Amino acid sequence: MILCANFKANKTRQETRAYMAVVESFVFANEIRDTVIVFPPFTALEHDPRNVLIGVQNAYPALKGAFTGEITLEQLDEFDVKTILIGHSERRHILGETQEEIAQKFRFFAQEGFVIVYCVGEPLEVREAGDEALMAYVDAQYVGIDLTYPDLIIAYEPVWAIGTGLVPTNDQIQAVHASIRAKTSAPLLYGGSVKVENAQEIMALSNVDGVLVGSAALSASDFCEMIAQATELTTKGE
Ligand code: 13P
């Protein structure tokens, strides 16, 4: 299983340090073999994660240069960051990133060998328009993306489920994941209002290889609980 915590624009450097100490020691003490990735804000990047991968929530596709307000490869290299989230719905919808820009970002960081957590997901009106419209919408989010990239992880995050407490039914999650699975062998995460109370049930669904968690992962103890749930499932499956 793969468990990701996306802090978004939450937590200070100090708070992130305290959080990482809890999660690092939990992963170490419990000999967790599932993959744990934390995406803190840029200001909280540190040099020395040991048992947990650190990724960034965004970066500009260039080595360095005149890109005011952006972070590029040179700065990520300084922190040994080799994991990135691309295509998150907040970047698509709030920051206005186009599919073309997203694809360019994907190509650049794939070329640099990054682990890429690539997000797709539909807004409510598309979900309400039916399965065909939904899959056509999600398919359009793959334009320019190499689905055979070996370090690709895909996260299906319906926009209407993010931060709302709404979650698709198990059947809806499985249906979308099955159709993504038909296109790629990349691990598939589900994201959108995942919390301690529903994480294990979601992770147990077919074609769900982990979760991408926002608000509920801001609590280190809740995130550790979800890691423990994943490990329980992994151990059961062995
Ligand atoms: P929530 O878990 O807060 O719904 O956010 C999901 C998300 O966007 C993770 O990237």
Side-chain angles (χ1 to χ4, degrees):
M1 289 280 166
I2 301 171
L3 294 106
C4 301
N6 176 10
F7 285 6
K8 310 188 178 184
N10 293 294
K11 291 199 189 291
T12 61
R13 187 172 185 79
Q14 202 92 314
E15 288 166 344
T16 303
R17 206 172 278 159
Y19 181 101
M20 291 308 299
V22 173
V23 176
E24 283 277 2
S25 62
F26 180 85
V27 169
F28 179 72
N30 294 285
E31 298 176 14
I32 302 290
R33 283 176 290 141
D34 297 279
T35 303
V36 179
I37 312 178
V38 176
F39 296 90
F42 289 130
T43 52
L45 291 178
E46 301 266 10
H47 277 286
D48 63 345
R50 278 171 282 257
N51 308 296
V52 172
L53 277 174
I54 294 291
V56 283
Q57 301 167 19
N58 178 46
Y60 192 82
L63 175 60
K64 58 179 177 176
F67 308 107
T68 301
E70 295 290 327
I71 298 278
T72 58
L73 186 62
E74 189 177 72
Q75 288 87 43
L76 299 185
D77 279 349
E78 188 178 22
F79 291 96
D80 296 326
V81 169
K82 278 285 182 195
T83 305
I84 186 168
L85 208 55
I86 294 181
H88 192 279
S89 79
E90 285 147 18
R91 296 213 56 89
R92 291 179 191 265
H93 299 290
I94 303 176
L95 283 309
E97 279 186 17
T98 64
Q99 186 60 33
E100 206 177 308
E101 288 165 339
I102 289 168
Q104 188 195 359
K105 211 171 268 192
F106 184 97
R107 281 193 296 275
F108 180 86
F109 288 102
Q111 189 104 38
E112 296 299 331
F114 273 57
V115 171
I116 298 177
V117 179
Y118 184 72
C119 305
V120 296
E122 81 290 356
L124 189 58
E125 64 273 18
V126 173
R127 160 67 65 179
E128 286 172 346
D131 290 349
E132 215 169 296
L134 192 163
M135 286 322 302
Y137 187 93
V138 172
D139 279 352
Q141 294 179 318
Y142 294 128
V143 173
I145 306 301
D146 176 7
L147 291 175
T148 66
Y149 178 58
D151 288 311
L152 171 65
I153 298 169
I154 291 181
Y156 169 56
E157 297 202 303
V159 180
W160 52 275
I162 296 179
T164 57
L166 299 172
V167 184
T169 63
N170 291 345
D171 284 350
Q172 287 173 325
I173 296 175
Q174 290 190 131
V176 177
H177 278 232
S179 66
I180 301 174
R181 169 63 68 237
K183 296 181 177 62
T184 175
S185 56
L188 306 181
L189 314 184
Y190 169 77
S193 295
V194 174
K195 47 184 188 278
V196 168
E197 292 75 19
N198 62 14
Q200 197 169 38
E201 185 182 342
I202 292 172
M203 288 187 285
L205 297 174
S206 62
N207 291 316
V208 175
D209 305 302
V211 285
L212 172 55
V213 192
S215 27
L218 293 175
S219 153
S221 59
D222 280 10
F223 190 48
C224 289
E225 174 67 34
M226 290 184 249
I227 297 169
Q229 292 176 353
T231 295
E232 202 179 290
L233 285 174
T234 312
T235 319
K236 233 190 263 174
E238 275 169 3

